[in-house]
Amino acid sequence: MIDVIIAGGGPTGAMLAGELRLRGVGVVVVVEKDLELPLFVRSLGLHVRSIEVMDQRGLLDRFLAHGKTYPVGGFFAAMDKPTPARLDTAHPYVLGIPQNVTDRLLAQHAAEAGAEIRRGAELVGFSQDEDGVTAELADGTRLRCRYLVGCDGGRSTVRKLAGIGFPGEPSRVETLIGEMASDAPLEEIMAVVREVRETEKRFGLGPVGDGVYRVVVPADGVAEDRAVMPTLDDFRRQLRAYAGTDFGVRSPRWMSRFGDATRLADHYRAGRVLLAGDAAHIHPPTGGQGLNLGIQDAFNLGWKLAAQLAGWAPDGLLDTYESERRPVAEDVLNNTRAQMALLATTPGALALRRLVSELMDFNEVNRYLIEKITAISVRYDFGPGDDLLGRRLRNIPLKHGHLFDLLHEGRGLLLDQTGDLAIEGWADRVDHVVEASEELDTPAVLLRPDGHVAWLGDDREGLRAALARWFGEPTG
């Protein structure tokens, strides 16, 4: 029997596959309907928390080699603000990297870890019982697995077949996006773009190389059938409407559209079926949070599902995936709703935008919003305690190396500055490292495999309780 089938081989599915195999989950199969990785580029980069995730798993150098770093600023409703001071991270930058490169790197990582990726294999049905899930592929193949995870996008087949509701609001505005050549000089294009974006932030042309531009322009209403792709004439017409010129665009590589629909799954789990990424939540792309949210879903789910399969997961651990990640998605939906309101061009919206822009001149406001966009302010509810409890710990320097160097294997970690603590009975799941850091103002911290602080202090009974809560019963 297959341990886990993942429907969808995008960044969420590939990240999850890598996380499961890292922890020794036996057979992980990713089924992806597309024969090849997509050539088009929807997302343009990784935010701070996703950069940290890659660093925690020793993957960051791969991504840095294919991307470019930019200051963390100007991401909330496209307001041009500087990087706020005192960001709580060792990675205060955005990594500009095309989504198709991210897709490829994560797929390579999953394959290297031992996951099987089957392309041209579309999941069309499934049934589940107490012991597992039977998945049906489009070619009639039936596969039996212990768990099925839907990472198959906003129109998720898995979500629909599981009967999980997806309430929210439909699109009210729509935007065309594509890559195409232009005959206009670069200087002329950039001058027009700067002028148009003074009032219309949903407009842009940016060079991607070889005379090709990424074109983003508001559509003429919302398409009745979202599956029908826009035409080159649609782009030319809308470019002329907003810029007074179509820039001589031609020879499109790809064309698509996106809306501002905002929906959140009622549940992230139905028995042995789970959802992650866009299958669980969709929202406008403002702030560039979608791909990052999915990667972070996978990072939270991977170790918990692996623990369930290994038999050591404490009661309710797998359910904390939904209780922790669904509120994070809800917050992203809300901040993208707010950003869309700030991007409108009505007099009231413009007045509101000016007011929020003035508030963001205060560093604390700017930092609050940027930490929200980059997901480094996420705090899971672990109950009462120190403010650090439930938060991820940044990559603090240690006497020998850095914290994230100790997290590459995806195990729990007791970072002990006292040398007086012990983890007998949990050493097969948790590493105990006696090490000091000038930036850690507590005797010791217990980190979950996702880097979030599960306990801190020097109380031995409290430590044992936290170990049991997150890592199950001790052995021996």
Side-chain angles (χ1 to χ4, degrees):
M1 179 186 287
I2 296 169
D3 287 303
V4 181
I5 292 176
I6 299 169
T12 302
M15 185 74 202
L16 178 59
E19 285 294 289
L20 291 170
R21 285 293 301 147
L22 179 67
R23 295 171 179 85
V25 173
V27 181
V28 179
V29 176
V30 180
V31 293
E32 167 56 53
K33 64 181 180 180
D34 293 331
L35 283 169
E36 303 290 340
L37 285 166
L39 296 176
F40 56 82
V41 178
R42 290 190 181 276
S43 169
L44 292 173
L46 298 180
H47 279 311
V48 174
R49 182 54 187 146
S50 295
I51 293 167
E52 292 181 341
V53 163
M54 301 309 164
D55 198 9
Q56 283 180 232
R57 292 297 178 262
L59 299 173
L60 184 55
D61 285 347
R62 300 188 189 191
F63 286 82
L64 290 174
H66 290 86
K68 183 178 179 180
T69 60
Y70 297 93
V72 182
F75 288 97
F76 188 82
M79 294 190 188
D80 187 15
K81 301 295 178 181
T83 300
R86 301 188 303 280
L87 276 180
D88 181 34
T89 182
H91 299 282
Y93 55 85
V94 172
L95 181 62
I97 184 170
Q99 181 174 336
N100 56 350
V101 178
T102 296
D103 288 347
R104 174 170 57 82
L105 293 176
L106 288 177
Q108 288 175 351
H109 167 61
E112 289 168 3
E116 179 185 347
I117 301 178
R118 300 187 186 181
R119 296 200 170 274
E122 180 180 5
L123 185 142
V124 296
F126 69 81
S127 60
Q128 65 170 312
D129 52 46
E130 291 184 358
D131 300 318
V133 181
T134 301
E136 181 182 349
L137 305 186
D139 64 0
T141 301
R142 291 179 178 273
L143 302 173
R144 184 74 171 160
C145 62
R146 296 172 67 184
Y147 285 91
L148 169 66
V149 186
C151 301
D152 50 344
R155 297 184 177 92
S156 171
T157 297
V158 173
R159 185 190 65 241
K160 294 172 183 175
L161 293 175
I164 297 175
F166 203 41
E169 308 94 49
S171 290
R172 289 162 291 187
V173 298
E174 195 166 84
T175 306
L176 305 182
I177 183 171
E179 289 183 2
M180 54 201 69
S182 170
D183 291 327
L186 175 61
E187 296 78 8
E188 177 184 319
I189 292 175
M190 293 297 98
V192 174
V193 168
R194 283 192 295 270
E195 181 179 352
V196 176
R197 283 184 58 83
E198 287 293 325
T199 54
E200 181 51 76
K201 302 299 183 182
R202 291 165 51 219
F203 180 94
L205 279 82
V208 296
D210 299 324
V212 176
Y213 290 80
R214 178 183 173 93
V215 179
V216 181
V217 60
D220 182 15
V222 177
E224 292 185 11
D225 186 353
R226 296 292 306 283
V228 176
M229 291 296 99
T231 66
L232 183 59
D233 284 341
D234 292 331
F235 276 86
R236 287 169 171 163
R237 182 173 59 253
Q238 292 308 106
L239 287 169
R240 289 193 295 267
Y242 282 88
T245 174
D246 62 14
F247 301 100
V249 293
R250 57 177 175 80
S251 306
R253 285 182 178 175
W254 64 273
M255 297 178 291
S256 187
R257 65 177 88 241
F258 63 85
D260 66 337
T262 305
R263 298 185 182 278
L264 179 61
D266 284 332
H267 300 286
Y268 281 23
R269 181 185 180 190
R272 290 179 173 270
V273 178
L274 298 107
L275 305 176
D278 289 351
H281 40 69
I282 59 171
H283 53 83
T286 45
Q289 300 168 87
L291 177 146
N292 293 272
L293 185 60
I295 286 174
Q296 293 156 32
D297 282 349
F299 201 59
N300 184 285
L301 174 59
W303 72 275
K304 296 173 181 178
L305 185 53
Q308 188 77 16
L309 289 161
W312 60 258
D315 290 343
L317 178 67
L318 191 54
D319 290 328
T320 67
Y321 165 61
E322 176 178 325
S323 65
E324 291 177 1
R325 294 304 299 170
R326 194 172 183 277
V328 174
E330 191 170 20
D331 186 69
V332 170
L333 266 61
N334 284 334
N335 83 56
T336 55
R337 286 184 180 107
Q339 290 183 77
M340 288 302 293
L342 291 167
L343 290 172
T345 57
T346 62
L350 291 173
L352 180 61
R353 184 179 181 86
R354 287 192 292 270
L355 176 59
V356 173
S357 179
E358 291 173 5
L359 292 173
M360 288 184 70
D361 288 334
F362 293 96
N363 182 70
E364 292 303 305
V365 176
N366 188 22
R367 181 166 60 85
Y368 175 83
L369 293 175
I370 292 300
E371 288 188 347
K372 183 182 290 290
I373 293 288
T374 58
I376 59 175
S377 62
V378 170
R379 184 190 188 198
Y380 299 139
D381 185 6
F382 293 175
D386 189 280
D387 184 63
L388 189 59
L389 187 67
R391 297 187 186 275
R392 99 283 182 260
L393 190 59
R394 70 182 182 280
N395 191 20
I396 57 175
L398 306 175
K399 189 174 181 180
H400 303 94
H402 289 79
L403 175 66
F404 288 0
D405 299 335
L406 306 176
L407 299 175
H408 290 180
E409 300 303 315
R411 292 161 52 87
L413 172 68
L414 175 63
L415 183 62
D416 180 6
Q417 298 195 103
T418 69
D420 295 330
L421 300 172
I423 55 167
E424 295 95 342
W426 288 279
D428 58 329
R429 288 151 271 173
V430 181
D431 293 324
H432 180 196
V433 177
V434 178
E435 178 65 281
S437 172
E438 294 181 357
E439 296 187 15
L440 185 61
D441 189 23
T442 187
V445 290
L446 176 67
L447 301 183
R448 305 190 317 183
D450 57 3
H452 282 256
V453 176
W455 168 90
L456 66 162
D458 56 8
D459 173 33
R460 297 184 182 186
E461 289 304 312
L463 172 60
R464 289 186 63 83
L467 286 164
R469 177 181 179 181
W470 296 111
F471 298 98
E473 293 299 316
T475 57

